Amino acid sequence: MPMPMELQHASEEFERFLAAARDEAGLTTRNQTYTMVEGVLRVFRRRLTLAEAIRFAGVLPPVLRAIFVADWDPLAPVLPFSDRVAMTREVQALRQHHNFAPDTCLADVARALRRHIDGDTFDRLLATLPEGAADYWRP
């Protein structure tokens, strides 16, 4: 069996996603964008059980999937979803002195992500996750 296309072109697809997220957020560098994306994924991951997080990771493109599970403590307590302002501040706290995530970072990353995944599959998955999950990924 040949290597799946999503793996053959994972780096190129990730670069396209980063460019889209950068443009949505009005950032200027890949590093700024990476930190924002990593923060958005980590904050969401903290609100899922291990099983929920694995299912969520399964709908992400390969590089985003790797970022989503990197440096994860699956035994950490699951946090409740809170308001968007509080979760945005949590995103902005990652590498705080090098984080340029705007106050619109949740919507910015959501818009970029939805252009790089199957939206129907994503929405079906979000409907199976805890209350607040679908709102988190609202563009």
Side-chain angles (χ1 to χ4, degrees), residues 22 36 42 53 62 68:
R22 179 199 64 216
M36 175 185 68
R42 282 185 180 205
F68 181 73

Side-chain angles (χ1 to χ4, degrees), residues 19-76:
R22 179 199 64 216
D23 293 347
E24 288 289 343
L27 297 174
T28 56
T29 71
R30 293 171 72 252
N31 289 335
Q32 292 171 345
T33 307
Y34 177 85
T35 295
M36 175 185 68
V37 169
E38 182 184 13
V40 169
L41 291 173
R42 282 185 180 205
V43 168
F44 186 71
R45 182 182 72 198
R46 290 181 188 133
R47 283 143 178 90
L48 302 178
T49 66
L50 176 62
E52 291 165 343
I54 295 298
R55 286 189 297 121
F56 179 79
V59 302
L60 296 175
V63 177
L64 290 175
R65 186 179 314 141
I67 294 167
F68 181 73
V69 300
D71 300 320
W72 180 17
D73 176 4
L75 300 177

